[in-house]
Amino acid sequence: MLIRFTKMQGAGNDFVMLDETQQRLNLTPGQYRFLADRHFGVGADQILSVRPSPGDGVDFEYVIHNADGGEVEQCGNGARCFLRFVREQGLTDKDVVRVRTLAGVIEPRMQPDGRVTVDMGAPIFELARVPFDATGLQPETVHSWQKWPLALEGRAQAAPVFVAVLSMGNPHAVQLVDDVENAPVLQTGPLIENHVRFPRRVNAGFMQVMSRSRIALRVYERGAGETLACGSGACAAVVAGIRLGLLDARVDVLTHGGTLTIEWQGGLDAAPSPVLMTGPATTVFEAAIEVPDHL
């Protein structure tokens, strides 16, 4: 099967974009894995599919598959690329679109400087909705919020890691580190991602606070491994930092792929408010690839 695609990236988080507005491709998990494979396929952190509006008040459906072939709820960097893609492909001329994901409706907005702002929705703190099983755990309270201890498999003699737990439509566990470049992302990231207390697995964030308006971040993403940037992970890290009393309402997030700007007016006592993420979205190339029928 010959498939046309567009390769895009947002702060180094790279994607294969598929236009399914006219016809579903009906790809299997194995075929998504093939497209994401950096040796035998195109190479990408996620495969993003554009589908027709599923109902009134929504412009498109946005379907996300990780490099392991599994469908996931949210991808913030991908949402920025989504808007640039549908505009460049002539699927819309709007500066703002409403897009349905598994996590709900989001609204990417084109800015005059070419960057894209995405309303990522309000963060979710109820542990059952993340989901996270805190049974029998004693949290550490910081600024009236909680960090939860995780004992990591294979590290029985090591102290537990303490993580802030929340959802941005997908689950995140954020820990504070003194030096993000030397943090054990590749060693402990997979252990956190697959921890039994996260029944749907989790994105593991490693955050270094540089000032009240600036952090450095690395994320070991669920189903993709460490990526150059993670949009929802940047949102989760900033929200966690604000609730822990460490950050102000507007924060620049330094990732290996570039800088994202995150804004959140929420707090401990505030009504739920959306997280806004602004960053780049770039088209790399367009091409076609023959995808094996039986994978």
Side-chain angles (χ1 to χ4, degrees), residues 123-127 130 139-148 163-167 172-174 207 236-245 264 267-268:
I124 296 168
F125 302 115
E126 296 90 341
L127 298 181
V130 172
E140 175 185 313
T141 299
V142 180
H143 202 248
S144 300
W145 203 39
Q146 291 80 39
K147 294 195 296 182
W148 295 91
V163 295
V165 175
L166 68 154
S167 172
H172 290 270
V174 181
M207 173 174 64
V238 170
V239 169
I242 291 172
R243 292 210 66 177
L244 292 170
W264 187 54
L268 289 177

Side-chain angles (χ1 to χ4, degrees), residues 145-164:
W145 203 39
Q146 291 80 39
K147 294 195 296 182
W148 295 91
L150 289 182
L152 300 183
E153 184 178 351
R155 296 167 61 92
Q157 303 305 315
V161 297
F162 281 82
V163 295

Side-chain angles (χ1 to χ4, degrees), residues 28-37 47 66-70 295:
T28 66
Q31 289 170 322
Y32 286 116
R33 288 193 296 271
F34 172 83
L35 287 172
D37 192 293
I47 313 300
N66 273 343
D68 66 358
L295 285 175

